[in-house]
């Protein structure tokens, strides 16, 4: 079973940057969609970005474009989330999740991933990001 472990969270000042890591192990499928999600206190969880494990295709909701960059390093079995120009409203628990797919897929699937409309098989434990001065 695929297992995911997030790391890299912490306290950062407004305008600062963080890079989160999602380390994966126990692969059972050739293809995955992997996403970063966040949940702030008192708010519902929302998608930040999703990426294809096979070709690195990415998708960002319009509200997340510009300051967030998702990437992968398959040699390290890790997906990253680079966060720049952080704002206090970015404070949240950030989690990664993965869903196996039967084969190569179109970008529409990544959009559905960010919208949390897929049946994610694995979730990490989450890492806290606090943006405060």
């Amino acid at each position: 079973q695929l297992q995911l472990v997030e790391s890299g969270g912490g306290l950062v000042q407004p305008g600062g940057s963080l890079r989160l890591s999602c380390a994966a192990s126990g692969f059972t499928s050739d293809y995955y969609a992997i996403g970063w999600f966040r949940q702030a206190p008192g708010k519902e969880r929302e998608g930040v970005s999703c990426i294809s494990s096979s070709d690195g295709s990415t998708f960002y909701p319009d509200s997340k474009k510009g300051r967030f960059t998702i990437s992968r390093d398959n040699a390290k079995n890790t997906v990253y989330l680079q966060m720049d120009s952080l704002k206090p409203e970015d404070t949240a628990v950030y989690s990664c999740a993965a869903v196996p797919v039967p084969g190569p897929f179109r970008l529409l699937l990544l959009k559905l991933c960010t919208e949390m409309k897929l049946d994610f098989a694995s979730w990490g434990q989450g890492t806290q990001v606090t943006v405060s001065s």
Side-chain angles (χ1 to χ4, degrees), residues 7-12 17-20 36 38-41 68 81 83 86-95 126-132:
S7 62
L11 176 64
V12 63
S17 299
L18 282 175
R19 189 180 73 164
L20 307 182
W36 279 101
R38 70 183 188 184
Q39 186 168 24
F68 298 87
L81 181 68
M83 306 185 295
L86 287 167
K87 304 174 181 179
E89 51 263 41
D90 295 320
T91 296
V93 174
Y94 285 73
S95 302
T127 184
Q128 176 70 48
V129 172
T130 302
V131 185
S132 176

Side-chain angles (χ1 to χ4, degrees), residues 33 35 37 50 97-99 112-114 116-123:
F37 309 87
C50 287
V99 56
L112 297 176
C113 172
T114 64
M116 297 182 292
K117 296 180 178 179
L118 304 179
D119 187 15
F120 294 101
S122 301
W123 284 87

Side-chain angles (χ1 to χ4, degrees), residues 67-86:
R67 299 189 297 115
F68 298 87
T69 304
I70 193 170
S71 63
R72 61 153 169 66
D73 186 341
N74 284 0
K76 297 182 178 180
N77 296 325
T78 300
V79 172
Y80 303 99
L81 181 68
Q82 178 69 40
M83 306 185 295
D84 300 313
S85 301
L86 287 167

